[in-house]
Amino acid sequence: MKTLTFKIGGIHPPQDKTAPADRIITVVLPRKVAMPMQMHIGAPAKPIVAKGDHVERGQMIAEAGGKISAPVHASISGTVSAVGPVTLAQGRSVNAVHITATDQDHANDMARIQAKPNSKPWKEISRTDLLSAIANAGVVGLGGATFPTAVKLNAPSTPEYLIINACECEPRLTCDDATMRAYPDQIVEGTLIMMAASGAPKAIIGIENNKMEAFEKLVNASKGHPEIEVQLLKARYPQGCEKQLIYALLKREIPSGQLPISVGCVVQNVGTAYAVYQAVALGQPLIERVITIDGCGNYLVPVGMTLSELPVEGYVTVAEADVVAGGPMMGQSTVTMDAPVVKGLSGISVITPPLSFNPDPCIRCAACAEACPMGLEPFMISTLSRLGKIEEALANNLMDCIECGSCSYSCPSARPLVDFIRYGKGKARALAQAKKK
């Protein structure tokens, strides 16, 4: 089979995918969790429980806070010990529901997990009810963006294609690879559910050619479903970004400022497909996910569990290493290991010793521009953002940056280009909000 890819820019960083993808280890449920109300793009969820309430694993404890929002469910049974702030890995404080389990709560949960639920028929369910089931289960995009899945599937027009991003081009991470190897039939079923929910008549699963075992399993699982194509892609970063993936598969270019639906596509992560299957076919909300622990393995972890409780080999602190939430290209450094696991956490990358950034002046080599998959001039928009010249940065297509980090990786002067660009985009959004008032 011919392998496809996008047309401009891109890089080939060392993969360093040392966490084995041939198995998923289930973490023993913790006795305490903190369930943040902001684990998705959009409005925070609103708590519907109070201190002293007893909740069951899988019970909704917070409802969606708006049209673009997602509910939150308890990942363990127990008593609500507080409804109050928790610090996320990057240092931001958000509201959370804190739950503490007794020995009996813990024993009951472990017994329920052992008794695996039976799959429920869903093909006779209406599109509206499918969307409601996905929304009520709190499913969000698990590729990193955490956009509420039901909202994305309910596009303003019917898509021609549902694109499943199975690239996992980020170095070090193997959680998607492990999920595909373990649950290929369920991923195909989740894809079919999302096709029915979105109205898309066709689906393409795009997977890089460094995951041949997962590719073969998905091909076998999709036999009998001619509406689903499994396509090999070249291993190239950032192949999994929406615009690059759509171009690689269909040679369609999304205009500046537009979404994938403008070219007839809706894109969902392969982990999201599995979560949708669990939500609709098994009735399980999004209360756990597979994450990669750098160098150790892939673990099924409950949302809300404290990072310091994860099986990070030779437990590290943020003072001993750069502990990155996610992969090294698009992840963000953590400031505390006392933060909870959130829905969008794909892995923990541990970089030792801690990186020290001593950037040199820009030498105008244009390496960043050559690497940019969006055809931008990162050195220009980074400098304009750093200097606070946001209007000029916008004129240079600031908002088209996908924050993949290819520019920073390619810079021989070690300049933190994407960080300044991210800063500029934040300022631009704040200016836009101020103009609306």
Side-chain angles (χ1 to χ4, degrees):
M1 176 183 287
K2 182 180 178 181
T3 56
L4 307 176
T5 192
F6 53 97
K7 64 175 181 177
I8 62 170
I11 57 176
H12 294 87
Q15 290 296 292
D16 292 335
K17 292 180 180 285
T18 58
D22 59 348
R23 63 187 181 279
I24 298 172
I25 303 165
T26 301
V27 170
V28 176
L29 292 181
R31 302 302 180 95
K32 292 183 179 181
V33 295
M35 308 298 297
M37 298 295 99
Q38 186 73 70
M39 292 190 281
H40 51 266
I41 287 177
K46 297 179 179 178
I48 55 175
V49 294
K51 182 178 179 179
D53 289 349
H54 189 272
V55 297
E56 296 292 328
R57 175 176 157 88
Q59 177 183 330
M60 185 183 294
I61 57 175
E63 62 188 9
K67 182 178 180 181
I68 300 179
S69 185
V72 176
H73 303 74
S75 61
I76 64 171
S77 299
T79 300
V80 176
S81 55
V83 178
V86 68
T87 301
L88 300 182
Q90 287 73 44
R92 186 163 63 100
S93 180
V94 299
N95 196 26
V97 173
H98 302 255
I99 304 169
T100 301
T102 64
D103 289 344
Q104 189 60 55
D105 291 324
H106 183 77
N108 291 343
D109 282 346
M110 297 305 293
R112 292 190 193 102
I113 290 172
Q114 295 301 319
K116 296 180 180 179
N118 296 319
S119 179
K120 303 173 184 176
W122 59 266
K123 293 183 180 179
E124 302 303 319
I125 301 176
S126 69
R127 182 190 175 196
T128 299
D129 288 343
L130 284 175
L131 288 169
S132 294
I134 295 167
N136 290 336
V139 181
V140 300
L142 298 184
T146 65
F147 196 89
T149 300
V151 177
K152 199 172 185 181
L153 292 173
N154 192 21
S157 59
T158 301
E160 184 181 352
Y161 289 95
L162 170 69
I163 305 294
I164 302 298
N165 174 14
C167 296
E168 196 167 48
C169 57
E170 178 82 42
R172 302 202 179 198
L173 301 184
T174 58
C175 55
D176 286 350
D177 190 0
T179 302
M180 289 185 281
R181 294 196 209 185
Y183 307 113
D185 294 324
Q186 294 88 337
I187 287 169
V188 168
E189 193 83 357
T191 299
L192 292 168
I193 293 170
M194 288 196 288
M195 290 173 69
S198 66
K202 293 176 282 189
I204 306 176
I205 302 175
I207 180 170
E208 289 192 330
N209 60 358
N210 57 359
K211 304 172 186 67
M212 292 307 297
E213 182 177 337
F215 169 76
E216 291 166 3
K217 287 193 172 185
L218 288 173
V219 168
N220 289 332
S222 60
K223 286 179 179 177
H225 299 288
E227 67 274 33
I228 299 177
E229 176 187 355
V230 185
Q231 174 63 53
L232 268 183
L233 300 163
K234 291 181 181 178
R236 181 181 177 193
Y237 183 85
Q239 189 87 256
C241 289
E242 286 186 336
K243 294 184 178 183
Q244 284 65 41
L245 182 56
I246 289 172
Y247 183 85
L249 294 172
L250 298 169
K251 299 298 182 284
R252 298 181 183 183
E253 295 189 50
I254 302 173
S256 176
Q258 298 296 309
L259 297 172
I261 193 63
S262 68
V263 293
C265 300
V266 168
V267 181
Q268 296 285 357
N269 178 263
V270 70
T272 310
Y274 180 58
V276 165
Y277 163 79
Q278 289 182 299
V280 175
L282 302 183
Q284 176 176 303
L286 183 52
I287 56 175
E288 59 188 11
R289 65 157 297 155
V290 179
I291 68 172
T292 300
I293 306 297
D294 193 10
C296 298
N298 288 283
Y299 296 83
L300 183 62
V301 177
V303 174
M305 184 175 182
T306 305
L307 295 179
S308 61
E309 292 185 272
L310 295 176
V312 178
E313 197 170 280
Y315 172 73
V316 295
T317 68
V318 294
E320 297 171 327
D322 277 330
V323 182
V324 177
M329 293 301 299
M330 295 191 73
Q332 293 183 302
S333 294
T334 65
V335 298
T336 176
M337 292 291 284
D338 292 327
V341 170
V342 294
K343 293 179 180 181
L345 181 67
S346 53
I348 295 292
S349 300
V350 180
I351 302 172
T352 54
L355 296 174
S356 61
F357 292 99
N358 296 299
D360 294 320
C362 174
I363 60 173
R364 302 295 192 270
C365 66
C368 60
E370 292 177 7
C372 179
M374 294 301 296
L376 305 176
E377 296 181 324
F379 63 91
M380 175 68 76
I381 56 177
S382 172
T383 298
L384 292 171
S385 296
R386 177 173 59 85
L387 297 175
K389 298 182 178 181
I390 304 304
E391 295 295 341
E392 291 183 53
L394 287 168
N396 282 272
N397 302 310
L398 166 68
M399 302 310 289
D400 283 344
C401 172
I402 57 176
E403 301 179 28
C404 66
S406 295
C407 56
S408 297
Y409 178 85
S410 303
C411 179
S413 295
R415 299 188 65 76
L417 300 172
V418 75
D419 297 287
F420 286 126
I421 292 171
R422 190 178 287 125
Y423 167 80
K425 290 173 76 172
K427 286 289 186 182
R429 294 188 185 100
L431 288 173
Q433 282 293 111
K435 287 179 181 179
K436 289 180 181 180
K437 294 180 180 178

